[in-house]
Amino acid sequence: MDDQKHLSIHVLREPKVRLRDVDRQSIDYWELRDSIRDHGILQPLLVRPVGDLYEIIEGCHRFTAAKEAGLETLPCLIRETTDDEALVLMLQANAISPETKLAEYAQQLKRLMARNPDMTQSGLACLIRKSPVWIGKCLTLTKLLREVQVMVDRGEIPIENAYMLAKIPRSMQMDYVDHRKPH
């Protein structure tokens, strides 16, 4: 059973072996950092005790962003593991963390705006830490037929093509989709 505690950022250390480095120059990272600064850590890090410190198994991006945001303590799940078990957990966490599908995400943005009629795309962009241009492009996906949205989320239609499809009437969208499929 994992023990959950808030640990000082000073007793946490990055793992010896990482699956990927934290790209501190990416927009995704900046958005994560800003979100953590505004709302704190929403999901605990998974750590293991190593001597007097705790090594991060899962959550290096959140840890790095939290340090930059100036947080002093972080919620952590503490698990006793061997080196091999820790590596397996890292691999599992990265393999099973499904990214939100863009068309699904667009539907939730639309729902949030419908519930808040005074909210603008710029206001929504500030709220969720994305650019207004990104919000606008994402919302255009809600103009796609449901079947086309599913195809976008499966990766069967490239996102740039989906943006173009969203500009044509729904009644014609499947004609364009069927046309691009090999027969």
Side-chain angles (χ1 to χ4, degrees), residues 106-117 119 124 127-128:
Q107 290 298 332
Q108 299 312 315
L109 292 175
K110 183 178 178 181
R111 177 176 287 144
L112 185 59
M113 289 190 76
R115 289 183 184 166
N116 300 281
M119 184 178 291
L124 181 58
L127 187 64
I128 64 166

Short mmCIF file of all heavy atoms in Angstrom, two decimals, residues 106-117 119 124 127-128:
data_model
loop_
_atom_site.label_atom_id
_atom_site.label_comp_id
_atom_site.label_asym_id
_atom_site.label_seq_id
_atom_site.Cartn_x
_atom_site.Cartn_y
_atom_site.Cartn_z
N ALA A 106 -12.19 19.39 -27.56
CA ALA A 106 -12.95 20.48 -28.17
C ALA A 106 -14.40 20.47 -27.67
O ALA A 106 -14.98 21.53 -27.39
CB ALA A 106 -12.91 20.38 -29.69
N GLN A 107 -14.98 19.28 -27.55
CA GLN A 107 -16.36 19.18 -27.07
C GLN A 107 -16.49 19.71 -25.63
O GLN A 107 -17.47 20.37 -25.29
CB GLN A 107 -16.86 17.73 -27.13
CG GLN A 107 -17.09 17.20 -28.52
CD GLN A 107 -18.17 17.97 -29.27
OE1 GLN A 107 -19.10 18.54 -28.70
NE2 GLN A 107 -18.02 18.02 -30.58
N GLN A 108 -15.48 19.45 -24.81
CA GLN A 108 -15.52 19.93 -23.43
C GLN A 108 -15.31 21.45 -23.37
O GLN A 108 -15.92 22.13 -22.53
CB GLN A 108 -14.50 19.19 -22.57
CG GLN A 108 -14.74 17.70 -22.50
CD GLN A 108 -16.19 17.33 -22.18
OE1 GLN A 108 -16.81 17.91 -21.30
NE2 GLN A 108 -16.74 16.38 -22.92
N LEU A 109 -14.47 21.98 -24.25
CA LEU A 109 -14.32 23.44 -24.32
C LEU A 109 -15.64 24.09 -24.70
O LEU A 109 -16.06 25.09 -24.10
CB LEU A 109 -13.26 23.82 -25.36
CG LEU A 109 -11.81 23.46 -25.07
CD1 LEU A 109 -10.93 23.82 -26.26
CD2 LEU A 109 -11.32 24.16 -23.82
N LYS A 110 -16.31 23.51 -25.68
CA LYS A 110 -17.61 24.02 -26.13
C LYS A 110 -18.61 23.97 -24.98
O LYS A 110 -19.37 24.91 -24.77
CB LYS A 110 -18.09 23.21 -27.33
CG LYS A 110 -19.39 23.70 -27.92
CD LYS A 110 -19.78 22.87 -29.13
CE LYS A 110 -21.11 23.32 -29.69
NZ LYS A 110 -21.49 22.48 -30.85
N ARG A 111 -18.62 22.87 -24.24
CA ARG A 111 -19.53 22.72 -23.11
C ARG A 111 -19.27 23.80 -22.06
O ARG A 111 -20.21 24.41 -21.54
CB ARG A 111 -19.38 21.33 -22.49
CG ARG A 111 -20.25 21.13 -21.25
CD ARG A 111 -20.15 19.73 -20.70
NE ARG A 111 -20.88 18.86 -21.62
CZ ARG A 111 -20.52 17.63 -21.91
NH1 ARG A 111 -19.45 17.11 -21.38
NH2 ARG A 111 -21.23 16.90 -22.74
N LEU A 112 -18.01 24.05 -21.74
CA LEU A 112 -17.66 25.07 -20.76
C LEU A 112 -18.12 26.45 -21.21
O LEU A 112 -18.68 27.22 -20.42
CB LEU A 112 -16.14 25.06 -20.51
CG LEU A 112 -15.63 25.99 -19.42
CD1 LEU A 112 -16.27 25.67 -18.07
CD2 LEU A 112 -14.11 25.88 -19.32
N MET A 113 -17.92 26.75 -22.48
CA MET A 113 -18.35 28.05 -23.00
C MET A 113 -19.88 28.15 -23.01
O MET A 113 -20.43 29.22 -22.72
CB MET A 113 -17.77 28.29 -24.38
CG MET A 113 -16.27 28.56 -24.32
SD MET A 113 -15.58 29.12 -25.87
CE MET A 113 -16.16 30.82 -25.87
N ALA A 114 -20.57 27.06 -23.29
CA ALA A 114 -22.05 27.08 -23.29
C ALA A 114 -22.59 27.34 -21.88
O ALA A 114 -23.60 28.02 -21.71
CB ALA A 114 -22.59 25.77 -23.84
N ARG A 115 -21.92 26.80 -20.89
CA ARG A 115 -22.35 27.00 -19.49
C ARG A 115 -22.03 28.41 -18.99
O ARG A 115 -22.58 28.83 -17.99
CB ARG A 115 -21.66 25.99 -18.59
CG ARG A 115 -22.16 24.58 -18.75
CD ARG A 115 -21.48 23.68 -17.77
NE ARG A 115 -21.89 22.30 -18.00
CZ ARG A 115 -21.27 21.27 -17.48
NH1 ARG A 115 -20.21 21.43 -16.70
NH2 ARG A 115 -21.69 20.05 -17.72
N ASN A 116 -21.10 29.08 -19.66
CA ASN A 116 -20.67 30.42 -19.27
C ASN A 116 -20.79 31.35 -20.47
O ASN A 116 -19.78 31.66 -21.11
CB ASN A 116 -19.23 30.39 -18.75
CG ASN A 116 -19.08 29.49 -17.55
OD1 ASN A 116 -19.41 29.89 -16.44
ND2 ASN A 116 -18.62 28.27 -17.76
N PRO A 117 -22.00 31.81 -20.79
CA PRO A 117 -22.22 32.56 -22.03
C PRO A 117 -21.39 33.84 -22.15
O PRO A 117 -21.15 34.31 -23.26
CB PRO A 117 -23.71 32.89 -21.99
CG PRO A 117 -24.30 32.14 -20.87
CD PRO A 117 -23.21 31.60 -20.03
N MET A 119 -18.27 34.05 -21.36
CA MET A 119 -16.87 33.70 -21.56
C MET A 119 -16.50 33.83 -23.04
O MET A 119 -17.20 33.35 -23.90
CB MET A 119 -16.59 32.26 -21.09
CG MET A 119 -15.12 31.88 -21.19
SD MET A 119 -14.79 30.22 -20.58
CE MET A 119 -15.09 30.47 -18.83
N LEU A 124 -11.29 32.02 -22.09
CA LEU A 124 -11.08 30.58 -21.94
C LEU A 124 -9.61 30.24 -22.10
O LEU A 124 -9.06 29.42 -21.35
CB LEU A 124 -11.93 29.82 -22.96
CG LEU A 124 -11.85 28.30 -22.93
CD1 LEU A 124 -12.24 27.74 -21.56
CD2 LEU A 124 -12.74 27.71 -24.01
N LEU A 127 -7.86 30.99 -18.97
CA LEU A 127 -8.28 30.06 -17.93
C LEU A 127 -7.55 28.72 -18.01
O LEU A 127 -7.12 28.18 -17.00
CB LEU A 127 -9.79 29.84 -18.03
CG LEU A 127 -10.45 29.05 -16.93
CD1 LEU A 127 -10.35 29.77 -15.60
CD2 LEU A 127 -11.92 28.81 -17.29
N ILE A 128 -7.39 28.20 -19.21
CA ILE A 128 -6.75 26.87 -19.33
C ILE A 128 -5.31 26.93 -19.83
O ILE A 128 -4.72 25.90 -20.11
CB ILE A 128 -7.59 25.92 -20.20
CG1 ILE A 128 -7.68 26.40 -21.64
CG2 ILE A 128 -8.96 25.70 -19.61
CD1 ILE A 128 -8.18 25.33 -22.58
#
